Amino acid sequence: MSYNEADYENAVIDLFKNELNYDYVYGPNIERDFTSPLYEDMLDESLRRINKAAPYDAIQDALFKLRNFENGELVQKNALFMDYLQNGVPVRYTEKGEERSMIIYLVDYQNFENNSFIVANQWTFIENSNKRPDVILFLNGLPVVLVELKSPSREETDASEAYLQLRNYMHEIPSMFIYNAILVMSDQLVSKAGTITSGEDRFMEWKTTDGSYENTQFAQFDTFFEGIFQKERFLDIIKNFICFSNDGKKELKILAGYHQYFAVRKAIESTKRASVTDGRGGVFWHTQGSGKSLSMVFYAHLLQVALESPTIVVLTDRNDLDDQLYGQFAKCKDFLRQEPVHAESREHLKTWLGGRKANGIIFTTMQKFEESFDCLSERRNIVVMADEAHRGQYGLSERVKYTTNEQGEEIAKLVVGTARVIRNSLPNATYIGFTGTPIAKEDRNTREVFGDYIDIYDMTQAVEDGATRPVYYESRVVKLKLDPAIIKLIDQEYDIMATQADAGVIEQSKHELGRMEAILGNDATINSLVTDIIDHYENNRADLLTGKAMIVAYSRSIAMKIYNKLLELRPQWKAEDKVAVVMTSSNKDPEEWREIIGNKTHKNELAVQFKDNSSNLKIAIVVDMWLTGFDVPSLATMYVYKPMNGHNLMQAIARVNRVFRDKEGGLVVDYVGIASALKRAMNDYTVRDKTRYGDPDISKVAYPKFLEKLQICRDFFYEYDYQRFMDGTDLERAKTISGGVNFIIAPSRQEDKEDFVKESLMLHQALSLCSSLVEESLRIEAQFFESVRVLLLRLSNQGGGKKISLPEMNARINELLKHSIKSDGVINLFSDIHEEFSLFDPKFLEEVAKMKEKNLAVELLKKLIAEQIQVYRRTNVVKSEKFSEIIQRSMNAYLNGMLTNEQVIAELMKLAKEISDASKEGKELGLTADELAFYDALTKPEAVKDFYENAELIAITKELTETLRKNRTIDWQKKDFARARMRMMIKKLLKQHKYPPEGMEDAVQTVMLQCELWADNAEVSK
């Protein structure tokens, strides 16, 4: 017996009923207004129960606000609703002649048992069309969760299909989504949660019910549902872990990931303990790219309740980091319910802290603490959140710094460690550190200031969860042809950095660093570097994703040299605004630099352009800026021409680890020998991170994987000769691709086809990382498999839900070949078919039937016919059923080997002709398409024609159509009684014509169904 979507739906409902103790409601059993997304009776009852002391008028005002949202974008309406849900609805009412105000709460967050939790299915809602989502969770009558399920046993559907369905619902029943907190898509194997603004790649799994990272790799669907929807946790997530990030242009709704939820909860408990003991709140290590800044926002929000409105000081060690983190908090100010402030000076910080007893969030850099050593505040209710808490500046001990005075004499100055200064400035505060890289084993200072780890979310876990992508490494040092003495000098710089150098060592090394500048800035070396970067970029990276790349230069002057050399070799890039320099400016800069570097506004504009996937700006040359806290998800390539180590190196390369579409990973291309520094930096990571990412060299990781997947794909095609793809003309190449598709979609290779699609995608992803190492013949061979894969996806409509389009397929394959084989010829995969096509064009059908690739012809015909039947499904219930049955019968016989491909093509051609002829039937009877649909419904039982003259049937048809058209009101879908009245009208009209004949009572049901279908889909007459 098969296990289908309905069975899975029942399993999910059972889990909510039996494991999570939700009440269950079957939609059709509830009398209600189908045009309201709310469970009105339950909402009314819940508001009275939760707000016992509230007057009747106050409750009514809250209900009015919940039912009536002003015009605006869906996201804006949802943001207002979430504010109501999290903080209550502000209402006004009159009592004894006076206007009063109060808050009506939609949820009792203090006592979860005082709320109504309902799981419902088959809950019909009518707006632009009639929809019935799989499962809805109602919290106090509000539809806060919509769950879309897909059959775990059907190959052609999966969680991605569920995502497309959710997007479709947002167009068809948008009002349901005003009240949505969380969206869920699940096919049992994969269950993910997101929000109304989440792209599919931002829907995340929830892999634990208790915050443990053990066994998360194989989390089951019940772990997902129990992890999020256990009643108390569900309320906590709604209240404290969903926020809007609004930068004035775009509003994003963010749901915390499971790692953020549990880690922030642990951090709150740790902070509570520290605030009454030693002030050490601990260190929160979540690998870069996994949402650390947002975790800090959730933490700051929760602190307000946990510690009764403390004052929060957010501490960073650089101005640009201060700006970036401040920006994230500012975007979430509505959620934080307060506006963050920037400290302008130490004096401003002191005055600001002194001017309040509680509340407030202020951002400052460590430098402001070093300006003086006096106490800023002795209050206990201050929490210091330090970003990147383990950098060298956080020393507690005093040290001696040697400098030279004006007379040229060497003097020794006693320097107090910044951590000591901060501790002295805020002696009674609680300190918590947030970091994206681990604390070095020998770093005692950080532990002394902050304490031990609260939570570790390492690289391995982040990649496994899809929160980040892995970073790979390619060495091209050899391309610069540096002599051994220079390489030795570069190694010395790494050694200097590795010693966590104190001031004395750095002073001594300045001479060596000056030589480094001269060597790395040498004109011949810059020429070799830039020539190789252009070669590598244009041949391997320019056409990957959005083509964004970053070049990290050793110094500002070298950055300018790289920029000028790039434009010398590629002058057209200047006109295209393809490349820019992003770095700090100085008063001593040459005049010609200033125009290129620009002011702060110019840099902000560049940041917007670089983050815009469709902008012309593809290559950013940086020195220090943008190497921390700057996120461009589509950035996949970083060229490194600057020795870095430790957490600076790990943070820099994390710029390419963000999730974006089908990005396999980020690639770091090394020109200064960072490999050993990379290995050293990994020493402080978790054991499994070291095992998995300790050596991310593409020659050892991606290249072997590429060869393995290439062999697997060859095995699938061992009976098919695709040699002409490698050495033939463009036309031969096109025919080889079509032939390859035809070969793999044969009914006998059904299983092979599915496995091939998966394996060829892995081949494509591996090649995207190591194409510079792969010889041309193998790259071209891989592109054959990629072309076949793309065409297969287009045929099965899995490439983003688009309808099939032969010109679009040709364009997509041409694009692939242009970049892989540098072929300028335009190929036509469907060389037999020259015109734009239509199923009703006999010439086109004939051409398809004559195609040499018979299996491909079957797929094309099946697809086109299925699309046409889909059109009928919206307008003509009788014909769509009839045609669906025919196509299903033919395809089953074909797949079971009872029909050859020639025979099934003949069957499909016959069906296509029937469909084509069907559209002409109406004309012969003098009926429009609408009228023909009613005529078909009236005459579905063939025997009906024996009881009536055809003229009489046509008269009933026309009267029926006209009556419906006249009586269909614009808002008829919104009123149940309007539908009931329509049914009564139809029955009355049919009765007048003594329809149906005795013994054929079922015929009325078909007519009713057609009337409903027409009313749901027909345009309202003006």
Side-chain angles (χ1 to χ4, degrees), residues 782-895:
Q783 283 305 336
F784 165 72
F785 296 122
E786 176 61 1
S787 299
V788 171
R789 182 184 78 87
V790 167
L791 192 44
L792 283 173
L793 291 183
R794 290 290 182 273
L795 276 173
S796 61
N797 270 6
Q798 285 171 13
K802 288 184 192 168
K803 282 195 172 186
I804 190 168
S805 145
L806 303 190
E808 190 243 358
M809 283 190 207
N810 278 331
R812 177 77 178 86
I813 302 289
N814 270 311
E815 204 56 30
L816 272 174
L817 301 184
K818 216 188 300 174
H819 298 315
S820 62
I821 304 166
K822 303 289 178 253
S823 150
D824 296 326
V826 175
I827 68 165
N828 183 359
L829 289 163
F830 304 93
S831 47
D832 305 333
I833 301 165
H834 304 293
E835 307 299 320
E836 282 293 313
F837 57 91
S838 157
L839 190 61
F840 301 139
D841 176 358
K843 188 161 156 272
F844 167 72
L845 290 174
E846 213 176 291
E847 286 185 338
V848 173
K850 284 193 308 204
M851 278 176 76
K852 212 164 66 234
E853 298 87 358
K854 298 300 180 195
N855 296 328
L856 185 52
V858 171
E859 288 297 319
L860 276 173
L861 281 171
K862 184 183 85 173
K863 203 81 206 153
L864 291 163
I865 290 168
E867 279 169 15
Q868 196 52 46
I869 291 171
Q870 199 62 36
V871 172
Y872 270 113
R873 199 162 279 142
R874 292 196 295 273
T875 54
N876 189 318
V877 67
V878 175
K879 283 203 165 49
S880 74
E881 276 178 18
K882 176 185 167 189
F883 296 149
S884 291
E885 280 169 24
I886 296 173
I887 194 169
Q888 201 55 54
R889 207 168 46 237
S890 302
M891 291 312 295
N892 286 346
Y894 170 58
L895 292 171

Side-chain angles (χ1 to χ4, degrees), residues 331-367:
K331 287 179 200 170
C332 300
K333 64 180 186 219
D334 292 341
F335 176 66
L336 292 165
R337 301 185 80 70
Q338 53 189 322
E339 187 129 15
V341 176
H342 245 142
E344 288 155 23
S345 63
R346 183 183 177 87
E347 200 47 49
H348 175 221
L349 181 59
K350 186 173 184 176
T351 309
W352 188 89
L353 287 169
R356 64 191 55 239
K357 294 273 190 285
N359 280 320
I361 301 173
I362 191 160
F363 280 72
T364 183
T365 56
M366 286 192 298
Q367 288 74 1

Side-chain angles (χ1 to χ4, degrees), residues 15 191 206-210 215-216 218-229 233:
L15 187 145
S191 301
W206 193 282
K207 295 186 165 186
T208 174
T209 55
D210 60 3
N215 304 320
T216 53
F218 306 106
Q220 302 296 310
F221 81 98
D222 51 349
T223 302
F224 172 85
F225 286 107
E226 288 172 25
I228 301 180
F229 299 111
R233 187 177 301 132

Side-chain angles (χ1 to χ4, degrees), residues 659-673:
V659 173
F660 183 77
R661 296 204 307 245
D662 59 352
K663 176 170 157 183
E664 168 68 0
L667 181 64
V668 173
V669 183
D670 170 24
Y671 289 98
V672 285

Side-chain angles (χ1 to χ4, degrees), residues 742-756:
N742 185 62
F743 171 80
I744 200 75
I745 60 174
S748 58
R749 293 193 182 85
Q750 190 64 21
E751 223 170 280
D752 279 2
K753 183 189 87 172
E754 282 146 20
D755 290 342
F756 167 73

Side-chain angles (χ1 to χ4, degrees), residues 319-337:
N319 284 326
D320 57 333
L321 275 185
D322 190 39
D323 289 341
Q324 285 158 6
L325 196 53
Y326 170 82
Q328 183 61 72
F329 272 64
K331 287 179 200 170
C332 300
K333 64 180 186 219
D334 292 341
F335 176 66
L336 292 165
R337 301 185 80 70

Side-chain angles (χ1 to χ4, degrees), residues 363-530:
F363 280 72
T364 183
T365 56
M366 286 192 298
Q367 288 74 1
K368 304 228 174 22
F369 282 87
E370 293 170 322
E371 288 164 14
S372 171
F373 300 130
D374 59 321
C375 178
L376 288 168
S377 174
E378 292 188 351
R379 280 201 282 129
R380 284 200 74 82
N381 67 338
I382 291 176
V383 175
V384 177
M385 295 168 62
D387 187 35
E388 294 310 336
H390 50 51
R391 298 206 216 254
Q393 297 96 318
Y394 281 93
L396 269 168
S397 55
E398 289 73 14
R399 56 193 169 86
V400 175
K401 183 176 181 181
Y402 292 94
T403 56
T404 309
N405 65 14
E406 288 174 13
Q407 286 72 43
E409 300 163 324
E410 190 171 63
I411 57 169
K413 202 174 178 184
L414 192 65
V415 179
V416 181
T418 308
R420 172 69 62 216
V421 174
I422 295 167
R423 273 290 196 194
N424 292 347
S425 301
L426 298 168
N428 300 314
T430 300
Y431 292 79
I432 179 169
F434 288 83
T435 176
T437 53
I439 302 167
K441 292 181 179 67
E442 61 277 9
D443 178 2
R444 294 193 197 89
N445 290 331
T446 302
R447 287 189 175 81
E448 278 188 58
V449 178
F450 301 103
D452 287 321
Y453 287 126
I454 300 165
D455 190 72
I456 296 174
Y457 187 64
D458 64 10
M459 279 188 200
T460 304
Q461 192 67 49
V463 170
E464 201 177 277
D465 291 350
T468 63
R469 292 282 183 260
V471 175
Y472 296 92
Y473 164 91
E474 177 180 359
S475 173
R476 290 177 82 82
V477 179
V478 68
K479 302 284 181 182
L480 298 188
K481 305 181 179 70
L482 298 174
D483 70 45
I486 290 170
I487 290 169
K488 191 177 176 192
L489 187 67
I490 294 173
D491 287 343
Q492 279 172 10
E493 171 147 3
Y494 284 118
D495 293 339
I496 291 164
M497 291 190 295
T499 58
Q500 295 294 309
D502 64 27
V505 177
I506 287 177
E507 288 298 319
Q508 291 163 21
S509 69
K510 275 187 176 169
H511 177 62
E512 281 88 342
L513 299 187
R515 284 173 60 204
M516 277 290 293
E517 170 81 31
I519 289 159
L520 293 181
N522 174 281
D523 288 346
T525 311
I526 292 287
N527 188 51
S528 302
L529 170 78
V530 173

